[in-house]
């Protein structure tokens, strides 16, 4: 099955070379089915949702809420009411931090995160800690960047009220033992909030089996459009939370000095949402389901192993993170070359990678680097792409006389 043929953008040349896109951890490409679904919305039933009683409004609302049901089934949520649409993982995390964190933390409580978190899963908690007086505490990693349950047991105490942690690291590709971490934090009365921005595109998810309290991810990393995201929460927690954004369609009764809120999920979705984007996200989920999430997981795991083996033969290449229990990406530096120079040279050969700090400055510093290069893979990549990257790095090394 030639998955790449479903992605129009991949059928082009860059700098007179075949495009090899290895930056899906930043954003994935979109299959034609997603593009067509969004075009169909705008050309056939563009209308606002939840308010118009005319035909177009009814169709738009059905498509929008249909996408919510698709997301719920995709992560095996018990009800679509547990699915809140946001503009991305960042907005979803901020909603949890502001609505739940600010109202449930106090001085003496502990917020536990790792140094490997994306800035979106660090900065909001920094601000919550400052406002509430809670302590922001670091869960130490192993020397290879992986997260061990033993260190988690040592770090989680009766003061731990929130554990916020990545499912897959966007820098190291390491996979966290979420189900076991949830058990540990629940045993002391705390909750777990999981950044699934890198795992939702790659792994089958079952929020009930994982027993997570909150989980969030972005549509644009999983074949969907930008400006779409999902927050999943346990029903009892969402019902107790207050909204952080206010406006139209999230309320029941509005008086001059008071207002009451609608039930979940709509009390968290004030104003006109990104309707076309959500329709596109629903189409992306249909597409991923047609390929099969288990097939995608196995493909990406095998491709990651293949890349680690292939890149090991590039002289002076330093790969960060463990050799096992990682998924979807390889982060590296080539000798003393600046990652921007490496990325620029590879781009001249049509190979797109990421270079920089990957919105994870504390982790990059912990790794002893100022920045790194990152190649990330998805369902449309293959071994030929890895071989091109490997040769491109050898050519880079030769060009700069490393």
């Amino acid at each position: 099955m030639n998955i790449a043929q479903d992605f129009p953008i991949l059928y082009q040349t860059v700098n007179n070379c075949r495009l090899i896109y290895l930056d899906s951890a930043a954003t994935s490409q979109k299959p034609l089915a997603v593009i067509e679904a969004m075009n169909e919305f705008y050309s056939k039933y563009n209308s606002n949702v939840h308010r118009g009683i005319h035909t177009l409004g009814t169709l738009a609302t059905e498509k929008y809420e249909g996408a919510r049901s698709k997301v719920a089934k995709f992560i095996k949520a018990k009800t679509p009411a547990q699915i809140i649409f946001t503009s991305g993982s960042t907005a979803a995390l901020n909603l949890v931090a502001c609505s739940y964190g600010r109202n449930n933390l106090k001085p003496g409580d502990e917020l536990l995160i790792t140094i490997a978190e994306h800035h979106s899963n660090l900065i909001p908690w920094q601000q919550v800690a400052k406002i509430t007086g809670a302590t922001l505490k670091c869960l130490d990693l192993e020397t290879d960047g992986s997260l061990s349950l033993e260190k988690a047991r040592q770090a989680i105490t009766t003061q731990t009220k929130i554990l916020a942690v990545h499912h897959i690291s966007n820098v190291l590709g390491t996979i966290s033992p979420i189900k076991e971490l949830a058990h540990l934090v629940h045993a002391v009365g705390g909750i777990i909030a999981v950044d699934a921005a890198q795992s939702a595109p790659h792994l089958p998810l079952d929020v009930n089996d994982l027993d997570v309290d909150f989980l969030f991810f972005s549509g644009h990393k999983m074949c969907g459009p930008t400006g779409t995201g999902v927050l999943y929460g346990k029903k009892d927690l969402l019902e107790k939370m207050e909204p952080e954004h206010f406006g139209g369609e999230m309320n029941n009764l509005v008086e001059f000095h008071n207002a009451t809120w609608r039930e979940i999920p709509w009390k968290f979705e004030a104003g006109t949402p990104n309707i076309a984007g959500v329709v596109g996200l629903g189409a992306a989920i249909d597409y991923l389901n047609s390929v099969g999430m288990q097939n995608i997981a196995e493909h990406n795991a095998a491709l990651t192993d293949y890349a680690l083996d292939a890149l090991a033969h590039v002289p002076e290449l330093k790969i960060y993170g463990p050799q096992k229990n990682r998924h979807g990406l390889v982060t590296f530096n080539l000798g003393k070359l600046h990652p921007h120079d490496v990325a620029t040279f590879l781009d001249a050969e049509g190979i797109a990678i990421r270079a920089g700090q990957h919105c994870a400055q504390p982790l990059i510093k912990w790794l002893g680097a100022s920045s790194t290069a990152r190649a990330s893979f998805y369902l449309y990549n293959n071994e030929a792409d890895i071989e091109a990257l490997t040769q491109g790095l050898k050519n880079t090394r030769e060009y700069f006389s490393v």
Side-chain angles (χ1 to χ4, degrees):
M1 185 176 182
N2 183 11
I3 296 293
Q5 69 183 358
D6 296 334
F7 294 79
I9 199 171
L10 299 179
Y11 280 80
Q12 65 174 300
T13 58
V14 171
N15 296 319
N16 297 316
C17 300
R18 177 177 73 91
L19 171 62
I20 299 173
Y21 187 76
L22 299 176
D23 195 22
S24 293
T27 195
S28 70
Q29 297 302 341
K30 323 306 174 192
L32 184 60
V34 170
I35 299 169
E36 289 179 339
M38 296 178 69
N39 285 339
E40 181 184 46
F41 170 79
Y42 280 125
S43 61
K44 292 187 177 181
Y45 53 92
N46 174 47
S47 182
N48 219 321
V49 294
H50 303 142
R51 56 202 79 182
I53 58 173
H54 51 74
T55 299
L56 293 186
T58 300
L59 286 172
T61 299
E62 288 176 352
K63 289 287 187 178
Y64 184 82
E65 292 302 329
R68 196 189 308 274
S69 295
K70 291 177 183 179
V71 173
K73 292 179 181 178
F74 185 72
I75 63 173
K76 296 181 171 55
K78 293 179 180 178
T79 169
Q82 295 174 280
I83 304 301
I84 299 164
F85 287 126
T86 69
S87 62
S89 295
T90 299
L93 189 280
N94 274 271
L95 195 164
V96 174
C98 294
S99 183
Y100 182 87
R102 288 184 184 178
N103 295 307
N104 287 277
L105 294 172
K106 62 184 184 304
D109 291 341
E110 292 179 351
L111 264 165
L112 185 61
I113 67 173
T114 78
I115 203 167
E117 301 310 314
H118 189 282
H119 293 166
S120 296
N121 202 24
L122 168 60
I123 298 173
W125 300 120
Q126 290 176 346
Q127 303 309 306
V128 168
K130 292 176 181 178
I131 292 169
T132 63
T135 300
L136 187 64
K137 182 178 174 182
C138 185
L139 170 54
D140 291 335
L141 303 175
E142 296 296 320
T143 56
D144 63 1
S146 60
L147 196 163
S148 75
L149 286 175
E150 183 54 38
K151 289 192 174 181
R153 290 189 186 95
Q154 296 171 6
I156 295 172
T157 71
T158 54
Q159 282 72 50
T160 304
K161 303 305 177 184
I162 300 175
L163 168 61
V165 65
H166 60 277
H167 194 179
I168 296 180
S169 166
N170 75 308
V171 175
L172 302 175
T174 48
I175 305 172
S176 300
I178 297 299
K179 185 175 182 178
E180 293 81 1
L181 291 171
H183 177 76
L184 290 175
V185 75
H186 289 156
V188 299
I191 64 103
I192 184 170
V194 177
D195 176 0
Q198 298 297 332
S199 60
H202 295 276
L203 303 177
L205 292 180
D206 185 333
V207 291
N208 295 298
D209 180 61
L210 294 174
D211 198 20
V212 294
D213 299 286
F214 298 104
L215 181 139
F216 41 92
F217 53 91
S218 297
H220 73 96
K221 296 180 189 291
M222 50 186 290
C223 295
T226 54
T228 60
V230 169
L231 169 63
Y232 158 85
K234 287 185 175 176
K235 192 168 182 286
D236 60 330
L237 295 177
L238 292 175
E239 288 176 338
K240 294 174 183 176
M241 288 164 53
E242 287 293 305
E244 286 297 312
H245 288 82
F246 305 93
E249 296 305 314
M250 50 80 67
N251 39 64
N252 279 323
L253 175 67
V254 179
E255 299 175 320
F256 190 75
H257 290 289
N258 191 41
T260 60
W261 319 134
R262 294 182 68 186
E263 66 273 21
I264 60 171
W266 301 295
K267 73 175 181 178
F268 295 110
E269 296 179 7
T272 298
N274 181 4
I275 307 168
V278 168
V279 169
L281 176 58
I285 288 175
D286 287 341
Y287 180 81
L288 294 176
N289 285 335
S290 72
V291 178
M293 287 307 298
Q294 187 58 42
N295 293 333
I296 294 172
E298 292 172 1
H299 171 78
N300 290 333
L303 205 57
T304 303
D305 289 341
Y306 187 86
L308 289 170
D309 290 340
L311 295 176
H313 298 288
V314 179
E316 303 296 321
L317 190 77
K318 178 178 176 59
I319 296 176
Y320 298 94
Q323 288 293 310
K324 296 182 179 180
N325 193 37
R326 60 184 298 163
H327 197 93
L329 59 88
V330 178
T331 298
F332 57 88
N333 269 317
L334 182 59
K336 295 183 179 180
L337 288 179
H338 195 285
H340 289 175
D341 292 330
V342 175
T344 299
F345 186 90
L346 290 175
D347 182 63
E349 296 192 351
I351 303 170
I353 67 165
R354 174 80 180 269
Q357 297 175 325
H358 318 296
C359 296
Q361 290 183 30
L363 176 59
I364 298 300
K365 183 178 180 180
W366 183 82
L367 292 172
S370 59
S371 60
T372 63
R374 182 188 69 191
S376 50
F377 325 118
Y378 204 19
L379 71 169
Y380 38 67
N381 294 121
N382 55 35
E383 293 180 355
D385 296 338
I386 304 302
E387 291 164 3
L389 171 65
T390 302
Q391 186 59 52
L393 288 169
K394 290 178 180 180
N395 295 343
T396 305
R397 183 173 178 270
E398 181 179 352
Y399 179 83
F400 287 102
S401 301
V402 174

